[in-house]
Amino acid sequence: MPSNESMVASGSRTFWFRDAIIYQVWPASFRDSNNDGIGDIQGIIMSLDYIKSLGVNTIWLSPMYDSPQVDMGYDISDYESVYPPYGTVADMEQLIKECHNRGIKLLLDLVVNHTSDQHAWFKESRKSKDSPKRDWYIWRPAKYDADGNRRPPNNWRSNFNQPAWTWDEATQEYYLNLFCPEQPDLNWTNDECRKTIYKSAMEFWLEKGVNGFRVDTVNMYSKPMDFPDAPITDPGAETQPAGMVYCNGPMMHTWLKEMGAILERYDAMTVGELPNTPKTADVVRYVSAAENELSQVFQFDIVDLGRNPVDIMSYDGYKLPEMKRVVEKWQRFTEGNDAWTTVFIENHDQGRSISRFASDKPEHIADSGKLLALMNMSLTGTVYVYQGQEIGMTNVPKTWAAEEYLDVNSINYLAAVKKRTNNDPKALARALADVNFLGRDNARTPVQWSSQPNGGFSSNPETKPWMRTNDNYTSINVEVQQNDASSVLNFYRKAIAVRKQRASLLGRGEFRLLEEEDENLFKFVKIADSGEKAFVVLNFTDKQQQYELPKEIAQGAELVLGTRNDGEKGSLRAYEGRLYVAAA
């Protein structure tokens, strides 16, 4: 695996992102500075010293652009403006400056597969078939069945469980929307449209000093323009999952090279969201340094563990060996090439990792949070921490009613189950349990800053947040953990510091999985170029487990980090983990 130093940089690229430790901020739920119940940019600015205290050196800020908020800001109505409840462009300029003053780089979300239907471009496009911007979006005539009924151009299902085509009465055509009907897809084959996207969505902010982008749905811009039907994988349904048809289209690499050339001028990084790309060779092509397309991508295999591939909110469960195989696949796919990888287990689109991958029983939450932190901080790649992950925030209680879930995906899913089962109470109870486990709302509850009402999210405890705070905020919050040496928060600080001190071993070393079929313990070795080795052992059960140091590390192995401060060698308690290092 090439190190940063040995990589041949083209132009002004430095590959700084390979050692980045990135903290994701989701603005609506991070911190409310002006008591309107919604997080804002000034709330982030007032928290920068806290974020820096974790040891992270980069922030990824989820969409803060002006938006009708149908999909929490992923429906952008103006790339060059800020959603007013979050602040202004001037606030963003202050945030960029304050981050840089602290040695923190800032990434924005780049959402350019689609815009809001309220964007000036789309308003112009839908005026008439002769509009100069008509071809900036994807319009197609209807099809008609044998009985003369109007049908969409194909059978694609959107990512939000709806048809992927919306009928426009005024101009008598359908437009494509791979997400909500209020999120029409842009037509990247139109050169003028594409160049305007680069200027408005990328260069506008790069000129202001941002250091790169997390790129939303990065492999969906190039569709097969003859729009073939997707294969039938959900028999009897009107629409079919079509990700394998519309992802990774013929022009993807050409257009990403155009973007790469712009980013290179600013030494800016990108991390792309790359679904429906199972083959490692295809992923390498996107993130090869020589290709200059994307710096790195998110692979979703780990957060998709246990999901039903057709019914995305339905959870079937998984066993630990499956997790090990997923981790190994994306740890080792960069061996022998110039690609790079990412390490994450939480973001704004996922249930909380403690609830999903360990245990959110009150007695296990802290141990589970540290266990997952130890795993991630020992893996090779650029590591991501999502807001609240560092204090062990969990999924919302199972007792919450359906009305508490505000995410469009959760709402659509529950409505679809209701319709499909004719309001069957058993099916609805199962659907609600699945939404409680996998739903995006779990990650979107306000960050828990203190034991004050609503977790101290607003400076006025009387202010009701836009979304209900998780009920466990009195026991899980920043204030209560700050001065507790054994807290999840202080373990994150420690683990990040160890990772930075041993970057060549933990952040860039080669990964070797041990005992793949063991259903209780996750064990792996890391090997640095220098020959230094690490051994990580993680107990993913609620029972005590025994382990032995592998022969290649037993000599001179030193316990560098453990999730508990006591205990005997060779024995791990519930959700306990240890990291040993042996010199070369």
Side-chain angles (χ1 to χ4, degrees):
M1 187 177 294
S3 68
N4 295 13
E5 295 74 27
S6 67
M7 187 151 296
V8 180
S10 67
S12 51
R13 293 162 82 207
T14 63
F15 299 91
W16 58 268
F17 54 81
R18 296 202 162 191
D19 287 324
I21 295 168
I22 300 177
Y23 185 83
Q24 183 189 355
V25 170
W26 204 71
S29 296
F30 188 66
R31 201 169 201 175
D32 170 24
S33 72
N34 61 358
N35 294 312
D36 64 356
I38 299 169
D40 46 53
I41 295 159
Q42 287 299 329
I44 302 165
I45 291 168
M46 67 191 262
S47 312
L48 284 175
D49 289 337
Y50 164 75
I51 293 172
K52 187 173 171 61
S53 79
L54 300 173
V56 305
N57 49 25
T58 306
I59 290 171
W60 152 27
L61 177 59
S62 292
M64 76 305 147
Y65 310 97
D66 206 3
S67 162
Q69 300 289 324
V70 171
D71 183 23
M72 290 305 299
Y74 283 91
D75 49 321
I76 296 170
S77 53
D78 185 351
Y79 291 106
E80 298 174 29
S81 298
V82 172
Y83 179 50
Y86 293 164
T88 62
V89 171
D91 288 323
M92 279 301 299
E93 289 168 341
Q94 185 190 350
L95 175 63
I96 294 165
K97 187 172 170 234
E98 295 286 352
C99 282
H100 291 170
N101 285 347
R102 289 167 176 79
I104 296 172
K105 289 183 159 67
L106 182 66
L107 312 176
L108 301 186
D109 230 299
L110 184 63
V111 187
V112 288
N113 174 68
H114 46 263
T115 65
S116 164
D117 61 354
Q118 300 305 303
H119 197 294
W121 302 344
F122 187 70
K123 285 181 173 177
E124 175 60 44
S125 183
R126 82 187 305 176
K127 271 184 186 170
S128 79
K129 288 180 185 169
D130 303 321
S131 160
K133 285 195 170 60
R134 184 67 169 182
D135 191 43
W136 281 36
Y137 293 83
I138 296 172
W139 294 92
R140 288 293 180 275
K143 284 183 171 175
Y144 291 88
D145 64 19
D147 300 325
N149 298 311
R150 190 184 75 229
R151 291 276 179 252
N154 65 22
N155 67 354
W156 293 1
R157 180 180 300 173
S158 85
N159 286 278
F160 290 157
N161 278 301
Q162 297 165 300
W165 295 92
T166 299
W167 178 250
D168 181 60
E169 197 58 48
T171 59
Q172 294 286 295
E173 280 194 321
Y174 283 95
Y175 63 82
L176 181 70
N177 54 275
L178 293 183
F179 292 87
C180 287
E182 298 86 354
Q183 291 169 294
D185 279 49
L186 287 153
N187 179 13
W188 276 63
T189 65
N190 181 301
D191 291 349
E192 190 192 356
C193 171
R194 203 169 64 255
K195 283 170 185 157
T196 310
I197 291 168
Y198 299 156
K199 200 171 181 321
S200 185
M202 292 172 66
E203 290 171 289
F204 178 84
W205 292 103
L206 288 165
E207 283 297 319
K208 291 189 183 296
V210 304
N211 304 101
F213 301 97
R214 175 267 189 182
V215 194
D216 190 57
T217 60
V218 75
N219 55 351
M220 295 185 191
Y221 315 150
S222 172
K223 286 95 173 166
M225 297 304 276
D226 56 345
F227 297 100
D229 275 344
I232 308 294
T233 53
D234 189 4
E238 221 173 291
T239 59
Q240 298 296 320
M244 294 304 283
V245 183
Y246 60 66
C247 286
N248 306 310
M251 294 299 290
M252 273 314 321
H253 294 287
T254 305
W255 295 336
L256 287 175
K257 281 180 171 58
E258 290 178 359
M259 290 167 73
I262 294 166
L263 293 155
E264 185 177 333
R265 298 204 302 269
Y266 299 90
D267 192 23
M269 73 161 272
T270 47
V271 53
E273 186 185 32
L274 197 78
N276 300 306
T277 316
K279 291 183 182 158
T280 53
D282 294 336
V283 180
V284 167
R285 201 174 157 200
Y286 279 105
V287 292
S288 155
E291 296 296 329
N292 196 21
E293 294 181 18
L294 297 165
S295 311
Q296 54 195 242
V297 293
F298 292 128
Q299 284 304 131
F300 295 100
D301 298 19
I302 193 156
V303 290
D304 285 344
L305 280 168
R307 276 186 197 269
N308 181 310
V310 174
D311 185 355
I312 50 124
M313 278 285 191
S314 184
Y315 185 70
D316 297 334
Y318 73 95
K319 292 209 159 37
L320 186 63
E322 292 171 64
M323 179 197 263
K324 297 180 192 182
R325 287 190 280 273
V326 163
V327 172
E328 181 183 39
K329 178 181 180 181
W330 298 113
Q331 281 291 285
R332 298 195 64 175
F333 96 105
T334 56
E335 286 179 19
N337 58 47
D338 63 351
W340 195 239
T341 194
T342 53
V343 181
F344 81 104
I345 203 164
E346 273 192 33
N347 64 29
H348 61 291
D349 281 338
Q350 308 298 333
R352 289 285 184 177
S353 58
I354 287 172
S355 302
R356 283 203 56 194
F357 303 106
S359 172
D360 59 10
K361 287 184 177 169
E363 66 271 27
H364 293 316
I365 287 173
D367 288 322
S368 294
K370 293 183 217 175
L371 179 85
L372 295 170
L374 178 59
M375 177 176 83
N376 280 358
M377 293 304 161
S378 305
L379 293 173
T380 290
T382 300
V383 72
Y384 289 77
V385 178
Y386 179 66
Q387 63 183 40
Q389 185 179 338
E390 78 280 9
I391 57 169
M393 283 178 66
T394 64
N395 277 0
V396 302
K398 293 177 173 62
T399 51
W400 279 20
E403 297 70 48
E404 300 287 358
Y405 296 92
L406 306 181
D407 173 39
V408 63
N409 210 10
S410 303
I411 292 165
N412 286 354
Y413 182 73
L414 292 170
V417 171
K418 220 173 191 174
K419 190 178 167 188
R420 191 171 70 229
T421 66
N422 200 17
N423 271 341
D424 174 30
K426 210 171 165 187
L428 283 173
R430 163 78 201 257
L432 191 59
D434 286 339
V435 164
N436 173 267
F437 196 63
L438 296 173
R440 307 195 302 179
D441 292 278
N442 289 299
R444 300 179 178 192
T445 58
V447 169
Q448 295 158 208
W449 292 97
S450 72
S451 307
Q452 290 279 314
N454 303 310
F457 172 65
S458 304
S459 44
N460 180 353
E462 302 300 309
T463 304
K464 191 173 185 280
W466 72 277
M467 183 183 184
R468 180 173 166 183
T469 309
N470 194 325
D471 301 0
N472 61 16
Y473 70 83
T474 53
S475 56
I476 298 173
N477 64 66
V478 173
E479 190 177 72
V480 88
Q481 293 190 24
Q482 281 280 30
N483 301 315
D484 175 1
S486 66
S487 68
V488 178
L489 174 58
N490 281 311
F491 185 79
Y492 261 92
R493 289 173 171 149
K494 209 184 298 179
I496 288 171
V498 168
R499 180 184 180 84
K500 284 158 94 172
Q501 285 154 14
R502 299 177 182 272
S504 60
L505 175 62
L506 301 178
R508 296 195 291 271
E510 287 197 0
F511 174 94
R512 293 292 177 266
L513 178 61
L514 305 176
E515 296 172 37
E516 181 184 315
E517 295 308 322
D518 184 337
E519 294 192 359
N520 301 319
L521 298 179
F522 188 172
K523 302 176 189 172
F524 58 88
V525 168
K526 296 294 295 293
I527 308 159
D529 286 349
S530 65
E532 186 184 31
K533 289 188 175 87
F535 169 61
V536 177
V537 56
L538 308 159
N539 179 6
F540 273 87
T541 76
D542 59 3
K543 295 179 177 59
Q544 190 151 328
Q545 302 289 341
Q546 307 303 311
Y547 69 93
E548 286 178 11
L549 291 178
K551 289 187 182 67
E552 66 262 41
I553 202 166
Q555 199 63 39
E558 175 199 352
L559 178 62
V560 167
L561 189 59
T563 59
R564 305 273 292 254
N565 292 326
D566 52 352
E568 57 190 84
K569 192 174 174 180
S571 179
L572 293 175
R573 283 155 297 185
Y575 302 105
E576 184 177 2
R578 292 182 190 155
L579 162 68
Y580 292 89
V581 174

